[in-house]
Amino acid sequence: MGKRLTVKQKNELLEAEDKQILNYGIRIHIMPNGEQATQIHKTFGCSRFVYNKYLADRQEYYKVNKKTLYVNDYKKNVLNPLKKTEKFSFLKEVDKFSLESAVENVEIAYKRFFNKQSKYPKLKTKKDTKKTYSTYFTNDNIKINLDSQTIQLPKLGEVNFSIPKGKNKGKFNNLGSHSVKITKATIGQVGSNYFVSLCIEETISKIKQINTKDIDLTKVCGVDLGLKHLAIVSNGIITIKYENHKYLTKSEKRLKNLQRRLSKMIKGSKNYEKMKLKINELYSYTANCRKDYAHKLSRKIVNENQVVVLEDLNIKGMIKNRKLAKAIADTGWYQLITFIKYKAEWEGKKFIQVDKFFASSKLCNVCGDKKIMLTLNERKWVCSSCHTVHDRDENASLNLRAEGIRLLEVA
Ligand SMILES: [Zn+2]
């Protein structure tokens, strides 16, 4: 692949035309025919093979040379010559970008490991429930045809897809426009469903950022994230508490039941595989419900406000507490924050994250006094200086709002 311009470089070039790049993703459900499905599975297999090979080779290389075998050297010196050998000629039958991206994923996995974002990379197995491979756009190899409802993908040809319902539709219909470019496609299978996730780069008129002096203070809100309520939103006049639906907790009973039944089945049998599929589908169903809610809630918060102030949560750190981990994972805080952030940015509104060491719960929003001890169970407390009775969460969201205003210097 030739050198690609970064988004920053592209934006600099577009500056003169008062335009900018907008990046987003669209996921569509595809229905490959038998032949295409076979090719997809072949590509999963080859991607997994080169992923595992690079991972093993890199470890071996380090053992022997005490040096890192970097991905670009690996591609040039190992992967490409390998494809030319007879023994590994099957690698030529699949999309070449899928192999490159598979070895690049090893590099990414290492980076995430060194950044303490994930565990040490391990070998992929055929049994992994989520199978994917990625390919890049070059010379018109990925194209969408809205009329015939097909997407052209390398080595697969025209694959049928179904048009997404609801919220995605607007963005989706845009795909035919010349200002929209697909940069990358990830083909995957979850359970019995196939999908393609498209990375989109759209050239749009420059988003007008709201001027600090034009901000209406009643449209500055603090958002406190919680377990009892998912989000407590306060604009200084009213406070709204949004329910935490606990989607996973709700399906836990059914999940446990299915898992118990699975444990009694013979591993690898048809019924076993069917049951596993059912469990996976239940997991993805709860994840979808959570995502849907996060979309609706973030949309509402961004529509009603010009500035959204949130706490910069140390979610990773908190999740080390096993008791809380499950409950937190079930809230989808991180997803909600991400959705609020991009929705606000797309509209030129302000998104502010307050330092995680800011004591949003312990400060009195009326007099600024700090309560020394506040346990997680204390839902209400009385300020010892001004005697205001505080609802813990509302007080926290008001403090976040005040801190946001201070950072904006609008007050
Ligand atoms: Zn007080």
Side-chain angles (χ1 to χ4, degrees):
M1 274 175 292
K3 271 238 156 48
R4 286 162 196 281
L5 292 178
T6 64
V7 173
K8 200 177 160 219
Q9 289 167 325
K10 286 179 189 165
N11 277 334
E12 277 163 11
L13 291 173
L14 289 167
E15 183 79 42
E17 298 169 60
D18 220 20
K19 285 183 174 163
Q20 72 170 86
I21 297 276
L22 190 66
N23 288 99
Y24 52 89
I26 287 181
R27 184 170 150 131
I28 51 181
H29 186 112
I30 52 171
M31 293 90 82
N33 62 30
E35 212 175 304
Q36 290 165 336
T38 306
Q39 181 66 19
I40 290 174
H41 282 273
K42 207 174 184 178
T43 318
F44 287 154
C46 290
S47 304
R48 186 173 61 236
F49 173 78
V50 296
Y51 181 97
N52 286 345
K53 183 158 172 46
Y54 175 37
L55 185 58
D57 289 351
R58 185 163 155 150
Q59 286 166 356
E60 185 60 30
Y61 188 87
Y62 189 79
K63 245 190 228 160
V64 176
N65 301 299
K66 295 279 167 271
K67 267 195 256 170
T68 302
L69 175 53
Y70 287 108
V71 65
N72 286 334
D73 297 327
Y74 191 75
K75 277 194 234 171
K76 203 169 82 194
N77 303 325
V78 184
L79 184 61
N80 290 337
L82 193 73
K83 286 199 288 193
K84 290 187 186 114
T85 63
E86 203 175 326
K87 192 178 168 197
F88 296 104
S89 61
F90 60 89
L91 293 174
K92 276 194 291 198
E93 292 165 28
V94 302
D95 178 17
K96 63 175 179 179
F97 291 132
S98 71
L99 304 181
E100 292 196 7
S101 117
V103 294
E104 279 158 14
N105 283 340
V106 174
E107 180 94 358
I108 293 168
Y110 268 105
K111 270 194 189 138
R112 291 183 61 88
F113 169 70
F114 291 128
N115 289 335
K116 297 192 165 67
Q117 287 166 294
S118 38
K119 289 183 187 156
Y120 190 78
K122 58 176 188 195
L123 297 176
K124 288 189 187 296
T125 76
K126 225 176 170 173
K127 290 256 157 80
D128 288 343
T129 46
K130 199 179 170 192
K131 301 183 178 78
T132 59
Y133 75 84
S134 296
T135 180
Y136 300 104
F137 178 87
T138 176
N139 299 327
D140 255 6
N141 61 345
I142 304 169
K143 248 187 303 189
I144 209 152
N145 189 333
L146 293 178
D147 296 325
S148 62
Q149 284 194 32
T150 52
I151 177 163
Q152 182 195 311
L153 292 163
K155 296 269 182 188
L156 298 177
E158 305 288 327
V159 186
N160 290 320
F161 66 81
S162 59
I163 293 186
K165 292 183 206 104
K167 57 193 179 291
N168 257 331
K169 221 172 167 180
K171 283 271 166 246
F172 182 80
N173 284 332
N174 231 354
L175 278 176
S177 141
H178 68 275
S179 60
V180 174
K181 284 197 180 103
I182 298 169
T183 56
K184 183 180 170 187
T186 298
I187 293 97
Q189 187 193 22
V190 178
S192 52
N193 294 316
Y194 293 89
F195 65 85
V196 54
S197 290
L198 303 170
C199 291
I200 309 286
E201 204 173 86
E202 184 174 352
T203 306
I204 59 162
S205 304
K206 213 165 171 195
I207 296 170
K208 258 202 151 131
Q209 300 296 325
I210 188 162
N211 257 322
T212 306
K213 63 172 176 34
D214 295 332
I215 290 170
D216 172 355
L217 282 181
T218 65
K219 291 189 172 172
V220 180
C221 72
V223 179
D224 182 54
L225 301 174
L227 291 174
K228 192 162 170 276
H229 291 98
L230 173 59
I232 297 93
V233 184
S234 193
N235 65 358
I237 300 164
I238 54 162
T239 299
I240 312 175
K241 297 186 172 189
Y242 294 97
E243 202 185 331
N244 176 11
H245 288 295
K246 301 180 187 163
Y247 293 104
L248 193 60
T249 314
K250 274 181 195 160
S251 42
E252 207 150 43
K253 218 173 148 189
R254 191 170 142 68
L255 206 57
K256 274 200 177 130
N257 179 19
L258 295 180
Q259 266 153 351
R260 204 186 50 239
R261 280 163 64 193
L262 180 77
S263 68
K264 286 179 188 156
M265 290 173 175
I266 303 160
K267 256 192 186 171
S269 69
K270 239 187 181 162
N271 282 335
Y272 180 90
E273 294 303 325
K274 252 191 208 162
M275 186 54 75
K276 246 175 93 180
L277 203 68
K278 231 179 189 174
I279 292 171
N280 281 336
E281 273 165 2
L282 186 57
Y283 269 117
S284 58
Y285 171 76
T286 56
N288 279 339
C289 290
R290 195 184 297 122
K291 189 173 170 188
D292 214 50
Y293 184 50
H295 267 304
K296 284 191 184 123
L297 187 51
S298 56
R299 174 47 49 220
K300 186 163 188 288
I301 292 171
V302 172
N303 277 354
E304 289 170 354
N305 293 284
Q306 295 171 331
V307 181
V308 184
V309 191
L310 273 146
E311 210 165 351
D312 183 2
L313 298 165
N314 183 2
I315 294 176
K316 269 271 161 192
M318 292 174 90
I319 288 195
K320 279 190 191 125
N321 176 342
R322 295 243 343 241
K323 226 170 98 187
L324 275 180
K326 221 171 164 185
I328 291 175
D330 200 13
T331 61
W333 283 348
Y334 184 75
Q335 192 173 47
L336 182 65
I337 296 174
T338 313
F339 288 176
I340 291 174
K341 182 169 190 273
Y342 88 78
K343 284 180 178 137
E345 283 171 353
W346 281 16
E347 291 172 24
K349 293 179 170 179
K350 291 199 188 295
F351 172 87
I352 300 173
Q353 266 187 309
V354 171
D355 195 298
K356 62 180 180 260
F357 298 111
F358 176 70
S360 62
S361 310
K362 293 176 185 171
L363 290 175
C364 165
N365 78 71
V366 179
C367 73
D369 202 45
K370 189 169 172 180
K371 189 168 162 55
I372 307 299
M373 279 291 293
L374 184 69
T375 65
L376 265 175
N377 301 325
E378 285 179 74
R379 308 311 307 174
K380 279 200 187 324
W381 58 280
V382 182
C383 173
S384 56
S385 295
C386 71
H387 308 293
T388 309
V389 181
H390 291 301
D391 169 286
R392 177 204 183 92
D393 303 325
E394 182 176 30
N395 180 57
S397 60
L398 283 167
N399 279 328
L400 286 167
R401 176 177 178 271
E403 179 65 4
I405 292 172
R406 191 185 69 81
L407 292 170
L408 276 173
E409 295 176 336
V410 285

